[in-house]
């Protein structure tokens, strides 16, 4: 059973930064891809960023140039560095890992507000 634990969410002012972490209970190098999704109130969950086993990166257009996904295989952890945060980035952020099955963390809340 793969467990994913997110951390790093919180309240930040517009223009601020946060770094989210996703710690996995297994070797993430064995995952075909890992990523971050978010779900804002009243909206569907959407993919924000992903990184494949080969290191290919993908971002949703609205976060390109502001968010950076990375991973540390030695720590089995994936990060999402979020800069220049906007109120529309407010959401619960979920870590996702894909292998044969897809696994989800419990989510961490990010609120961008003055």
């Amino acid at each position: 059973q793969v467990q994913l634990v997110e951390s790093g969410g919180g309240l930040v002012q517009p223009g601020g930064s946060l770094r989210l972490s996703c710690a996995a209970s297994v070797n993430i190098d064995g995952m075909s891809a890992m990523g971050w999704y978010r779900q804002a109130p009243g909206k569907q969950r959407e993919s924000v960023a992903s990184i494949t086993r080969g290191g290919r990166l993908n971002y949703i257009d609205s976060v390109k140039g502001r968010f950076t996904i990375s991973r540390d295989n030695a720590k089995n952890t994936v990060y999402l560095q979020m800069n220049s945060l906007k109120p529309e980035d407010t959401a619960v952020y979920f870590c996702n890992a894909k292998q044969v099955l897809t696994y989800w963390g419990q989510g961490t809340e990010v609120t961008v507000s003055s």
Side-chain angles (χ1 to χ4, degrees):
Q1 182 73 15
V2 177
Q3 292 184 330
L4 304 172
V5 179
E6 301 99 332
S7 62
L11 173 64
V12 63
Q13 292 185 342
S17 298
L18 284 174
R19 188 176 81 156
L20 305 183
S21 299
C22 171
S25 62
V26 298
N27 186 348
I28 63 171
D29 197 38
M31 296 294 168
S32 59
M34 295 196 69
W36 289 93
Y37 284 66
R38 67 185 179 188
Q39 187 166 18
K43 295 188 177 181
Q44 289 188 333
R45 190 175 297 189
E46 63 178 358
S47 176
V48 175
S50 64
I51 180 168
T52 67
R53 182 186 298 160
R56 181 177 178 180
L57 307 178
N58 285 288
Y59 297 95
I60 193 173
D61 285 347
S62 60
V63 308
K64 286 181 179 177
R66 300 189 298 122
F67 290 12
T68 302
I69 187 171
S70 62
R71 69 184 185 202
D72 186 334
N73 290 345
K75 295 182 178 180
N76 293 324
T77 300
V78 175
Y79 303 98
L80 185 67
Q81 177 67 44
M82 306 187 295
N83 299 327
S84 302
L85 282 161
K86 304 175 181 181
E88 51 263 44
D89 295 317
T90 295
V92 178
Y93 284 71
F94 297 89
C95 181
N96 168 279
K98 296 179 181 177
Q99 199 179 34
V100 175
L101 300 176
T102 297
Y103 304 93
W104 294 93
Q106 82 289 348
T108 185
E109 189 168 0
V110 172
T111 302
V112 185
S113 175
S114 55

